[in-house]
Amino acid sequence: MTQIRHTPIAPTRTRWLTAGAAIDAHRHDGHQIVYAGRGVLAVSTDAGSWIAPATRAIWVPAGTVHAHQAHGELELHLVGLPAIENPLGLDAPTVLAVGPLLRELIIAYTRAPDDDSPERARLRAVLLDQLRASPQQPLHLPTPSSPLLRALCDILRADPADGRTLAELGREVGASDRTLSRLFRGDLGMTFPQWRTQLRLHHALILLAERTPVTAVAHLCGWSSASAFIDVFRRTFGHTPGSHPAQARGGEHARPGAGAGQVGGEGVRCRSGRRRDTGSAR
């Protein structure tokens, strides 16, 4: 990441980003909770990426250099906290489950960031209590440091539907499956099947945010059938992809304004997303 901006205070506010908009690399002196009330949000650092639909929030610790990417039209809620206040005790970005109560608390708290009334202070206290009770979710897609592993992962990022085995992919990058298996565990802390499943789930969330039909998502992400995809998605997120907020809402909510451009000190840029429409499900 280059040209890293330093915004000392992690802001608390609500904003909208157009589909494909991005907030470039920056850091805050305080912690931040980032929540997408609509659309799918990806937060990336040098260590990897974290992705969150409307049932998840992302905890970004103080000092973390990070960038945001909007998939679908994004209703972005930001809650800033001072560095001395860490209700979660976490020093790395983490995805948290967001239930109905926590969702409404975040939305209400970010709606009037300049309100310093006693009522809002009590709202904040309840919000932090709910955050402490939120389960952490394994939705981190780590970035490898090994050149061999980076080459292999880039192949699959370009086409998540690529169903080749580790041995077959190893022949392309010039390494044995035993060497690559050891690198996945040592470098990324997970097995090759676990990493590929995370990659496919990340890609599936992006496609769902773009209103791609569930059957097409299953095919584009490499699942053997729609039912196999639905089963993995339900076990990961607690609901089916057909009832995922981006699919269930359709276009019923009007967006009050585009978020592209320079807004409130956060550099936003729009970029057109490219999606691969090829690749067999295996």
Side-chain angles (χ1 to χ4, degrees), residues 28-276:
H28 309 294
D29 292 342
H31 308 297
Q32 194 170 55
I33 299 144
V34 187
Y35 173 67
R38 181 182 181 186
V40 170
L41 170 70
V43 171
S44 59
T45 73
D46 287 341
S49 60
W50 291 257
I51 195 160
T55 55
R56 303 293 187 267
I58 300 176
W59 166 263
V60 181
T64 302
V65 176
H66 62 288
H68 297 167
Q69 175 71 48
H71 300 287
E73 293 188 339
L74 194 70
E75 178 187 328
L76 186 61
H77 298 272
L78 304 169
V79 177
L81 298 172
I84 59 173
E85 187 173 11
N86 188 336
L88 301 172
L90 297 172
D91 58 4
T94 305
V95 174
L96 305 170
V98 175
L101 176 57
L102 180 55
R103 169 187 167 82
E104 295 306 320
L105 288 167
I106 293 174
I107 291 173
Y109 187 73
T110 56
R111 189 174 292 136
D114 297 325
D115 179 7
D116 58 358
S117 66
E119 291 81 6
R120 190 164 185 272
R122 290 193 292 271
L123 177 67
R124 183 180 188 274
V126 177
L127 190 159
L128 295 181
D129 281 343
Q130 287 296 305
L131 276 174
R132 293 184 188 98
S134 295
Q136 298 176 27
Q137 303 291 312
L139 292 175
H140 175 211
L141 188 67
T143 298
S145 58
S146 160
L148 269 178
L149 214 55
R150 195 179 304 123
L152 186 151
C153 291
D154 285 346
I155 292 170
L156 296 180
R157 286 179 187 275
D159 182 8
D162 189 330
R164 283 179 289 175
T165 65
L166 189 57
E168 291 169 332
L169 290 165
R171 284 193 286 272
E172 181 165 340
V173 300
S176 69
D177 56 344
R178 179 174 296 181
T179 296
L180 292 170
S181 292
R182 185 173 66 251
L183 285 173
F184 266 101
R185 285 191 167 87
D187 195 352
L188 302 182
M190 59 176 61
T191 65
F192 169 64
Q194 288 171 333
W195 188 91
R196 177 149 65 180
T197 297
Q198 289 287 76
L199 171 69
R200 289 175 170 179
L201 285 170
H202 277 220
H203 193 55
L205 286 171
I206 292 168
L207 293 176
L208 289 171
E210 296 172 352
R211 308 283 191 266
T212 307
V214 171
T215 300
V217 173
H219 172 74
L220 292 168
C221 293
W223 272 279
S224 59
S225 65
S227 60
F229 165 54
I230 291 169
D231 180 59
V232 174
F233 193 95
R234 183 194 292 113
R235 284 189 280 111
T236 303
F237 297 106
H239 58 82
T240 64
S243 61
H244 185 67
Q247 295 281 313
R249 283 182 176 187
E252 65 190 34
H253 296 295
R255 183 173 60 87
Q262 190 78 13
V263 183
E266 300 274 310
V268 179
R269 56 189 171 86
C270 290
R271 58 191 180 196
S272 57
R274 290 194 307 162
R275 187 173 76 227
R276 290 179 64 93

